[in-house]
Each structure stands twice: as structure tokens, then as C-alpha cells.
Amino acid sequence: GAVVSQHPSRVICKSGTSVKIECRSLDFQATTMFWYRQFPKKSLMLMATSNEGSKATYEQGVEKDKFLINHASLTLSTLTVTSAHPEDSSFYICSAREAGAGQETQYFGPGTRLLVL
Amino acid sequence: DQQVKQNSPSLSVQEGRISILNCDYTNSMFDYFLWYKKYPAEGPTFLISISSIKDKNEDGRFTVFLNKSAKHLSLHIVPSQPGDSAVYFCAGTQGGSEKLVFGKGTKLTVNP
């Protein structure tokens, strides 16, 4: 199946710093990428949908100025957590969908564990 | 408001027996449901789906049942194998939307 990678897999940072997470589709072109967040014992929550070359669409309650999403190419999307605070500590996971693919063909990355001290 | 609920955080079954994972939803607009399996340190992978026009979909050892009147679906795995041990997420979506709404997941352990 299609492969989606995320980097880094784990990051620890100080409060106030910014952290960038990369999501790459390795063997297909992803016109749409999704960013999710999962808190402990909670479900995966969609944060935003990004389409290549256009601005991301954020879900209600997600601060677009805090979670900057860039989808500059068909194989790469980045999520930058700006001025991170301890409450931003979470598991961030991306998924990618190939152009014209069905709903079930969202391929997920392995996730990034963010810990803000 | 949790639109997709998986009320059992964990389930343990013996190898060879049936595993039944349950999922309830509250959004009556959902018309397509998916099950994903997730191993530790990996992303969720698609397992099986069902459209609301059906009440059953089968793929090998995996069968998903949908009861629209009860807003309930279940995933049956038979026979269960130790390699099926993972976290299973149920997700719903509506009208061709790309947005998936996930449950919290159920951790299945299949004991040899």
C-alpha cells in the first residue's frame, strides 16, 4: 500500500518555541492532506485539510495562526506549531489522499509525539 | 459532542474465536463508515467500510454490520488471530465529505 511518512516521530521542546512537523507521501501524489491530533484516551480529531497550492481549511476551534499548515508540493505538507505551550503536547498524525481516490484511501502517517515542557 | 462512540476501550479474545467490536454514532447524516486498524508506532490503516445503503459488508475474516435504526455498527473478526491485536478505530463521514469523524478506538488483544 501507499506510504506516508512523518518527521520527526518524537519531539520535545521548550515552551514558546515553534515546532515543524513534516508529512510526506512517498509513492503517490497527494492533492489533499489532513492533519489530526489525538489526546490521550481521546479520538483522532481533524484539525485541518490542506490542498496543494491553496490555503488550508481549519476545523472549528483550531487556531490557524497557531497551527500553520503549508502544502507546497504534491508530496509534502508541513504543520508548524507556533509558540508551543504545554497544552499543545499531543500526538499529531497526518494522512494523505491521492487525487481521485475514494474516501477509504486516506493513508496515514505514523504520527509525531510532541511534548512541550 | 462525540459523534462516534466506541464505548469499549479494550477487548480480549482467544485465538480462533470471534472478535466483535462495536461502534455507535449520533450523526444521522453519516452515510459511510470505515474501520481502521492501528499498530503501535504506525498510522491507522484502512480495514473495511460500509455504505449506509447496505447492512453488511464482508471481506475475508472481517465483516461489518450496520444497523441504521439503532445507529450502530459492529466489526466481526472470525477467526481471530494474534496478529489482529491492535487498536481498531471506527469512523463516519457524510455525503462524499473528506472529513472523517473517529471514535476513541478499541484495543483488541487476541491471546494465543
Side-chain angles (χ1 to χ4, degrees):
Chain A
V3 178
V4 175
S5 69
Q6 274 184 248
H7 178 79
S9 59
R10 185 187 298 263
V11 57
I12 301 173
C13 69
K14 292 182 179 180
S15 184
T17 60
S18 294
V19 175
K20 180 185 282 188
I21 303 169
E22 293 185 347
C23 177
R24 294 182 184 272
S25 57
L26 298 184
D27 51 3
F28 67 99
Q29 293 187 326
T31 52
T32 305
M33 287 186 168
F34 307 86
W35 286 96
Y36 294 82
R37 179 170 56 185
Q38 184 180 24
F39 292 108
K41 299 184 180 180
K42 300 289 185 182
S43 54
L44 284 165
M45 297 293 294
L46 181 66
M47 298 174 66
T49 302
S50 73
N51 291 294
E52 186 264 339
S54 63
K55 289 184 178 180
T57 302
Y58 290 81
E59 294 299 304
Q60 192 174 12
V62 178
E63 299 175 59
K64 60 181 180 181
D65 294 330
K66 180 167 185 61
F67 299 99
L68 301 178
I69 291 172
N70 184 282
H71 191 166
S73 79
L74 287 172
T75 59
L76 173 65
S77 176
T78 60
L79 168 67
T80 302
V81 184
T82 62
S83 187
H85 288 97
E87 58 265 30
D88 298 324
S89 298
S90 187
F91 187 67
Y92 293 87
I93 191 164
C94 73
S95 70
R97 202 176 91 169
E98 195 171 6
Q103 289 165 308
E104 65 269 20
T105 49
Q106 267 192 48
Y107 300 103
F108 285 82
T112 298
R113 178 77 60 189
L114 171 63
L115 177 61
V116 184
L117 302 176
Chain B
D1 175 38
Q2 203 175 339
Q3 298 183 59
V4 178
K5 301 177 184 179
Q6 292 177 260
N7 293 318
S8 297
S10 62
L11 173 68
S12 184
V13 299
Q14 283 298 121
E15 181 178 7
R17 306 294 290 268
I18 185 171
S19 296
I20 300 177
L21 297 106
N22 293 303
C23 178
D24 297 292
Y25 62 96
T26 59
N27 189 337
S28 57
M29 299 299 291
F30 284 158
D31 58 6
Y32 196 74
F33 302 90
L34 307 93
W35 283 93
Y36 286 82
K37 180 168 71 172
K38 183 183 182 301
Y39 293 117
E42 295 182 13
T45 55
F46 170 73
L47 189 59
I48 192 169
S49 63
I50 189 167
S51 165
S52 61
I53 62 173
K54 294 185 175 181
D55 54 18
K56 176 183 175 181
N57 188 25
E58 189 173 353
D59 183 3
R61 296 185 297 114
F62 303 91
T63 303
V64 56
F65 294 93
L66 174 63
N67 182 334
K68 283 187 294 183
S69 61
K71 293 191 175 68
H72 176 82
L73 60 156
S74 60
L75 174 67
H76 293 212
I77 306 173
V78 56
S80 301
Q81 299 173 354
D84 296 329
S85 298
V87 177
Y88 290 79
F89 290 96
C90 168
T93 187
Q94 66 179 79
S97 168
E98 296 175 314
K99 179 178 176 179
L100 297 175
V101 180
F102 285 88
K104 293 182 183 180
T106 297
K107 183 177 181 181
L108 172 66
T109 303
V110 181
N111 300 304

